[in-house]
Amino acid sequence: NDPGTITIREINDFERKLELKTLQEGLKHKVASVDITPHMVHDAVKGGIGDYTATFQGSLDALVESATNKNDPQASSDGGTRSIADEDKLPIIYPPKPTPPPPLQAELSDRVVILNILHASSLQASPCYWKTGVDSLLCHPYCVITYAAQIIKGTTVKNSRNPIFKHEVRMHAPLQGPLGVVTIAVYSEEIGGKEAADTLIGSATFDLDQSLAPPAAISAVLDAGPVHTWLDLKGGVSGALHVSLSVEDTPC
């Protein structure tokens, strides 16, 4: 025969060897994943295709029977032998714990903001051309507080640029949510009669939640009692207010 010619018999032998090699490699991978004794693989590799198939089928039957006995509560089990059910058992995956809800706020029947305007310093309004002479030097200050649709006018202190007000007001606040903002405007009362318009010295607007949150600028009592702070007035030449703040809750 021509050395370059391949006969049908040689082709058939090559295909059988290739089939046997494929089955052998498959069995090796199976051994890596399940509990099959090494001698089973050795015997199958040394034998022919028929012996290999019979051995491989026998091992599968044994594995199926072992898995069936494992799932059957009445079947006997060997404590020293690991079955395919043990190997292929999936880990238990627990769902994540739900996020706990935020703590419930106590229901309130009333919530009051207590604002105490203690005193002011260096009050000076912007110059007004219609005020001349002594009138331009006089200052009769009072405060107007605006908060949550509430307007409160304080008492007038005669002829003082550093008045001591000591004016405490109690204002109703929202029962839930942010407290909101407060605006304090300081005016100078004109003595010329009811027809005369009062003069704005300056005003300050501040957020209650930020002002009450620690650390405060000045606190009369650490971690307790009203919070004291200074407010700079805007709209005039100069001026500042010293106030104290607290909140009083009344539960239902």
Side-chain angles (χ1 to χ4, degrees), residues 87-162:
E87 295 288 345
D88 296 341
K89 187 176 181 181
L90 296 177
I92 300 176
I93 301 177
Y94 297 96
K97 295 182 179 180
T99 303
L104 298 177
Q105 296 183 354
E107 294 187 1
L108 303 176
S109 62
D110 195 11
R111 198 176 197 188
V112 175
V113 173
I114 303 174
L115 171 64
N116 194 351
I117 303 176
L118 300 174
H119 66 277
S121 65
S122 304
L123 297 180
Q124 185 175 353
S126 298
C128 301
Y129 71 89
W130 61 87
K131 296 178 67 174
T132 59
V134 178
D135 291 338
S136 63
L137 302 177
L138 298 178
C139 180
H140 310 291
Y142 66 91
C143 298
V144 176
I145 304 100
T146 304
Y147 172 66
Q150 304 165 79
I151 299 178
I152 303 172
K153 180 182 178 181
T155 57
T156 301
V157 177
K158 298 295 184 179
N159 196 20
S160 176
R161 295 188 181 275
N162 300 284

Side-chain angles (χ1 to χ4, degrees), residues 37-246:
T37 57
H39 76 272
M40 297 174 61
V41 181
H42 180 70
D43 294 342
V45 172
K46 292 177 61 178
I49 295 178
D51 296 336
Y52 176 83
T53 304
T55 303
F56 181 70
Q57 183 63 40
S59 65
L60 288 181
D61 294 340
L63 292 174
V64 172
E65 182 179 359
S66 176
T68 303
N69 295 334
K70 184 68 176 179
N71 295 328
D72 188 359
Q74 296 180 355
S76 61
S77 61
D78 185 1
T81 303
R82 298 181 64 187
S83 65
I84 190 173
D86 296 327
E87 295 288 345
D88 296 341
K89 187 176 181 181
L90 296 177
I92 300 176
I93 301 177
Y94 297 96
K97 295 182 179 180
T99 303
L104 298 177
Q105 296 183 354
E107 294 187 1
L108 303 176
S109 62
D110 195 11
R111 198 176 197 188
V112 175
V113 173
I114 303 174
L115 171 64
N116 194 351
I117 303 176
L118 300 174
H119 66 277
S121 65
S122 304
L123 297 180
Q124 185 175 353
S126 298
C128 301
Y129 71 89
W130 61 87
K131 296 178 67 174
T132 59
V134 178
D135 291 338
S136 63
L137 302 177
L138 298 178
C139 180
H140 310 291
Y142 66 91
C143 298
V144 176
I145 304 100
T146 304
Y147 172 66
Q150 304 165 79
I151 299 178
I152 303 172
K153 180 182 178 181
T155 57
T156 301
V157 177
K158 298 295 184 179
N159 196 20
S160 176
R161 295 188 181 275
N162 300 284
I164 298 176
F165 291 112
K166 291 186 178 180
H167 181 206
E168 181 178 294
V169 295
R170 299 173 65 89
M171 302 173 291
H172 295 284
L175 297 179
Q176 300 292 337
L179 293 174
V181 298
V182 175
T183 298
I184 303 176
V186 181
Y187 294 88
S188 178
E189 183 178 308
E190 300 301 328
I191 310 300
K194 295 182 179 180
E195 297 81 7
D198 295 341
T199 303
L200 175 65
I201 298 174
S203 64
T205 300
F206 60 96
D207 185 273
L208 284 173
D209 293 290
Q210 295 180 1
S211 300
L212 290 170
I218 303 174
S219 181
V221 180
L222 294 177
D223 299 328
V227 174
H228 291 246
T229 186
W230 280 90
L231 304 172
D232 293 327
L233 299 179
K234 298 181 180 180
V237 175
S238 64
L241 285 176
H242 178 199
V243 302
S244 69
L245 301 166
S246 62

Side-chain angles (χ1 to χ4, degrees), residues 19-33:
E19 182 180 2
L20 179 59
K21 184 65 175 178
T22 303
L23 293 175
Q24 291 172 350
E25 292 297 328
L27 181 58
K28 290 179 181 179
H29 288 292
K30 189 64 178 178
V31 170
S33 60

